Amino acid sequence: MDNPNFTQPAPSGLPDNILSAPTPQDPHEPRIFHRIFFGDEGLRAGWGILLFVLLCFGSNYTISRLHLLPAQPQTNLAQSSPELAPVPSVISEGVMLLLVSLATLILSRIERRPVTVYGLGGSGRLRLFLHGLFWGLVLLSVLVLVLWKAHLLIFDREFLAPFAIFRYAAVWAFGFLIVALFEETFLRGYLQFTLTRGLSGLYRLFTTPKRAGAFGYWTAGFVLCSVFAFGHGNNPGESPFGLFAVGLFGLTFIFSLWRTGSLWWAIGAHTSWNWAQSFLYGVGDSGNMIRYHLLASHPIGQPLLSGGTTGPEGSIFVLPTLALLVAATFFAVPRTQRWYPANPASAATKID
């Protein structure tokens, strides 16, 4: 019987360990490779942001190259601001929302966090959404009223026939809900959470975890609001002050997320504000005009006062309106849980 403890000697001239098992790989090597991509809180923030952006823009680029989306109908070249048609607009924004949702879902699985942790969770979501709808509609109406009373905005006539009012009111309400969902989840969902997580880790080198979380949150908010404003720069009727106002709008929504722990207030206010501008009053919406709006109007006077082709957001009167929007968030909406806890690793368990 062979002796299991017997080792056959190596042939002459060869080292003794040539027939022995190969030397195990250094156990620290895979650990080092793992630490490049993962930290104590899971996937590192920089890699997460890079993957999220690649998923969103890569898939959007592929779709655009394949010409899978309907193009906007050609408009009269004499128009200063071409009007957006409802069906192509809703489909395009819906596809973008789908891509962002899929990217968020994929990253949530990689990071082993519930998808609701990226601003869509929390309690009282319907109540927050309805609050946002109300205040967005009311305060945009107040802004339009001020411009009208100051003779900076003139209403010409009703644009739609009675039988078409309800149809296009519903179509554009759905369309602007899709726009709000897309823009809020794209810039103030996964990206806000993850950039906050990464920046908070840097701030914790210099201050307490609680302060680091706050500093990281607001730094991320300023960065992404700048991206939000920059993204509106190609709108045909946009102005420099209008872009500044867009950034302030983003900060208003960042504040509502910080206070309520949810994106739903911002989604509601974003939806009704855009719907009231574009459909109800027929004014510019960050330089864009839509087809089939209820009222027809035009601005007069200095663009910095009237808003010009940008719409009410291009008027300096938008500043006190935004202050009222912040006040409505602070006083009319009860504070729930702060969205971003001091310990980022515990966020998934603290937010349902």
Side-chain angles (χ1 to χ4, degrees):
M1 180 181 295
D2 294 336
N3 183 352
N5 296 322
F6 174 77
T7 303
Q8 183 179 358
S12 176
L14 295 179
D16 292 339
N17 63 349
I18 191 66
L19 298 180
S20 61
T23 304
Q25 187 178 8
D26 185 354
H28 294 290
E29 289 184 8
R31 182 66 177 170
I32 293 174
F33 180 79
H34 183 271
R35 293 290 293 180
I36 292 175
F37 295 96
F38 295 90
D40 297 335
E41 300 168 8
L43 183 67
R44 295 191 182 277
W47 293 116
I49 292 172
L50 178 61
L51 182 56
F52 181 83
V53 171
L54 288 177
L55 286 171
C56 290
F57 286 95
S59 53
N60 180 61
Y61 175 78
T62 301
I63 289 173
S64 63
R65 293 289 294 178
L66 295 176
H67 303 288
L68 298 179
L69 295 180
Q72 285 286 347
Q74 295 296 321
T75 56
N76 187 346
L77 296 178
Q79 288 180 262
S80 59
S81 295
E83 295 181 336
L84 301 177
V87 173
S89 299
V90 171
I91 292 177
S92 298
E93 296 292 336
V95 169
M96 289 304 301
L97 174 61
L98 177 62
L99 297 180
V100 169
S101 300
L102 288 175
T104 303
L105 181 61
I106 291 170
L107 268 298
S108 74
R109 294 295 178 263
I110 294 175
E111 298 184 357
R112 298 181 180 179
R113 291 186 172 92
V115 70
T116 52
V117 78
Y118 306 117
L120 294 175
S123 59
R125 283 165 278 192
L126 179 60
R127 174 178 53 84
L128 288 171
F129 177 71
L130 293 177
H131 266 283
L133 280 177
F134 173 79
W135 287 109
L137 176 61
V138 168
L139 292 178
L140 188 277
S141 299
V142 169
L143 176 57
V144 169
L145 178 64
V146 169
L147 295 177
W148 179 55
K149 287 294 185 181
H151 304 290
L152 297 169
L153 183 66
I154 302 298
F155 289 101
D156 302 315
R157 59 185 175 86
E158 289 188 2
F159 188 79
L160 290 178
F163 67 88
I165 291 175
F166 294 103
R167 178 176 58 179
Y168 286 110
V171 168
W172 282 118
F174 177 73
F176 285 117
L177 173 62
I178 296 298
V179 170
L181 283 168
F182 160 58
E183 292 187 348
E184 296 305 317
T185 55
F186 178 55
L187 288 171
R188 284 174 276 278
Y190 178 82
L191 288 180
Q192 175 68 31
F193 181 93
T194 307
L195 186 56
T196 298
R197 183 163 63 87
L199 292 173
S200 297
L202 296 177
Y203 282 122
R204 282 199 297 273
L205 299 175
F206 309 103
T207 186
T208 63
K210 184 176 180 180
R211 290 181 177 178
F215 290 156
Y217 179 88
W218 286 104
T219 303
F222 274 99
V223 170
L224 293 175
C225 287
S226 300
V227 175
F228 185 50
F230 179 79
H232 288 71
N234 290 329
N235 291 359
E238 190 58 274
S239 65
F241 184 82
L243 294 176
F244 174 70
V246 168
L248 292 182
F249 262 104
L251 288 176
T252 301
F253 296 147
I254 287 290
F255 175 73
S256 73
L257 176 61
W258 173 262
R259 181 169 178 80
T260 67
S262 172
L263 283 171
W264 287 106
W265 192 95
I267 292 170
H270 199 155
T271 300
S272 59
W273 180 279
N274 285 346
W275 180 84
Q277 281 189 119
S278 299
F279 173 77
L280 187 59
Y281 299 116
V283 295
D285 177 6
S286 294
N288 284 322
M289 294 290 294
I290 66 168
R291 290 185 178 181
Y292 312 118
H293 41 85
L294 177 60
L295 300 175
S297 62
H298 67 273
I300 58 174
Q302 292 293 328
L304 191 58
L305 296 176
S306 67
T309 57
T310 301
E313 293 174 11
S315 167
I316 60 172
F317 291 106
V318 76
L319 299 179
T321 308
L322 287 176
L324 290 174
L325 200 60
V326 172
T329 310
F330 188 83
F331 293 106
V333 180
R335 177 176 178 175
T336 54
Q337 177 181 318
R338 181 173 295 173
W339 177 72
Y340 195 76
N343 180 9
S346 65
T349 58
K350 287 191 174 184
I351 303 176
D352 57 32

